[in-house]
Amino acid sequence: AQKITQTQPGMFVQEKEAVTLDCTYDTSDPSYGLFWYKQPSSGEMIFLIYQGSYDQQNATEGRYSLNFQKARKSANLVISASQLGDSAMYFCAMREINTNAGKSTFGDGTTLTVKP
Amino acid sequence: DGGITQSPKYLFRKEGQNVTLSCEQNLNHDAMYWYRQDPGQGLRLIYYSQIVNDFQKGDIAEGYSVSREKKESFPLTVTSAQKNPTAFYLCASSNSGTSVHEQYFGPGTRLTVT
């Protein structure tokens, strides 16, 4: 079974608007972390935001916030006030502490295009 | 500046040749990883190492080999046994331990085998 599911292969958003990128995950490990990375066309992977399984509040980093719904096993990324430079591929990833030898599992990604 | 370097950025090889991709980090991280990415797809784990002189196979280790003789270095060899080696290869590192840490990635190496 897929551990990380990103159901949106591609998304479009108008500049200055907000956009939500979906991510659902599957784990039985009570201790895990959820991450979002951005991959521009250059190929580098840029860490954006992290949410721990025991964190009570949703993580925020500047224009990025993570809508963490633990019971639903979802960790959606919200980008506010989209900019042209946000156009990239976005990956959701999970790292389980006690199982899976602490390895990270990545989703298939969502390509975001910001329109002027 | 601290970070991860991968060289070269682009690599071209003839089929049947082994090729080694370099990955160096000066972040003092214990754990290092190699991923493969095919066009339009996500990352797949090839090998990872949580400590010097120890490494484990990831999900797609066949046709690849690694070594971890130094904390800073984790080279990946793509052997002639790898059926479809043309891909984008990303190296990453992170702190290990009981808490969760993000991974830091290198700029990647695009390997083309013809």
Side-chain angles (χ1 to χ4, degrees):
Chain A
Q2 277 272 63
K3 281 185 173 280
I4 296 285
T5 303
Q6 294 181 253
T7 57
Q8 306 153 315
M11 287 283 285
F12 291 88
V13 64
Q14 207 66 37
E15 193 178 8
K16 299 180 185 175
E17 292 186 350
V19 63
T20 298
L21 305 184
D22 294 341
C23 173
T24 57
Y25 60 92
D26 183 27
T27 182
S28 56
D29 191 334
S31 300
Y32 55 91
L34 296 157
F35 305 85
W36 277 92
Y37 293 87
K38 173 184 178 181
Q39 188 179 42
S41 56
S42 59
E44 62 191 304
M45 292 282 284
I46 303 165
F47 165 70
L48 296 177
I49 196 166
Y50 159 78
Q51 180 83 44
S53 58
Y54 296 115
D55 293 343
Q56 296 296 314
Q57 294 190 323
N58 286 343
T60 60
E61 287 287 346
R63 294 187 298 111
Y64 305 108
S65 61
L66 203 152
N67 184 2
F68 181 45
Q69 298 188 43
K70 195 170 182 177
R72 293 186 176 187
K73 294 189 175 178
S74 77
N76 298 340
L77 176 71
V78 181
I79 305 175
S80 62
S82 297
Q83 302 172 355
L84 295 178
D86 293 336
S87 293
M89 199 152 182
Y90 289 80
F91 291 96
C92 179
M94 175 176 64
R95 194 168 176 194
E96 298 156 290
I97 296 297
N98 300 310
T99 58
N100 207 23
K103 297 180 290 184
S104 290
T105 304
F106 286 78
D108 290 335
T110 295
T111 300
L112 177 66
T113 303
V114 180
K115 298 194 283 188
Chain B
D1 283 2
I4 301 178
T5 56
Q6 290 185 245
S7 60
K9 191 170 177 65
Y10 297 94
L11 192 53
F12 298 88
R13 280 292 183 271
K14 293 287 187 187
E15 196 173 316
Q17 294 179 333
N18 290 355
V19 59
T20 298
L21 280 58
S22 163
C23 177
E24 304 277 332
Q25 55 101 357
N26 60 3
L27 300 166
N28 201 34
H29 285 165
D30 290 315
M32 296 187 74
Y33 310 81
W34 273 106
Y35 293 93
R36 171 185 171 133
Q37 186 179 29
D38 293 290
Q41 297 187 24
L43 278 65
R44 291 185 290 169
L45 183 65
I46 305 172
Y47 267 99
Y48 65 104
S49 167
Q50 294 182 318
I51 197 167
V52 175
N53 291 323
D54 188 40
F55 49 82
Q56 288 78 40
K57 292 181 179 179
D59 301 317
I60 55 164
E62 187 175 345
Y64 300 97
S65 66
V66 292
S67 62
R68 187 85 188 276
E69 297 174 3
K70 299 188 297 182
K71 188 175 185 178
E72 305 80 22
S73 179
F74 191 40
L76 173 75
T77 297
V78 184
T79 75
S80 56
Q82 167 52 233
K83 294 282 189 285
N84 186 17
T86 294
F88 185 52
Y89 291 88
L90 283 159
C91 178
S93 71
S94 72
N95 281 315
S96 58
T98 55
S99 57
V100 178
H101 298 277
E102 69 273 20
Q103 292 177 313
Y104 293 80
F105 285 82
T109 293
R110 293 192 186 274
L111 173 65
T112 302
V113 176
T114 57

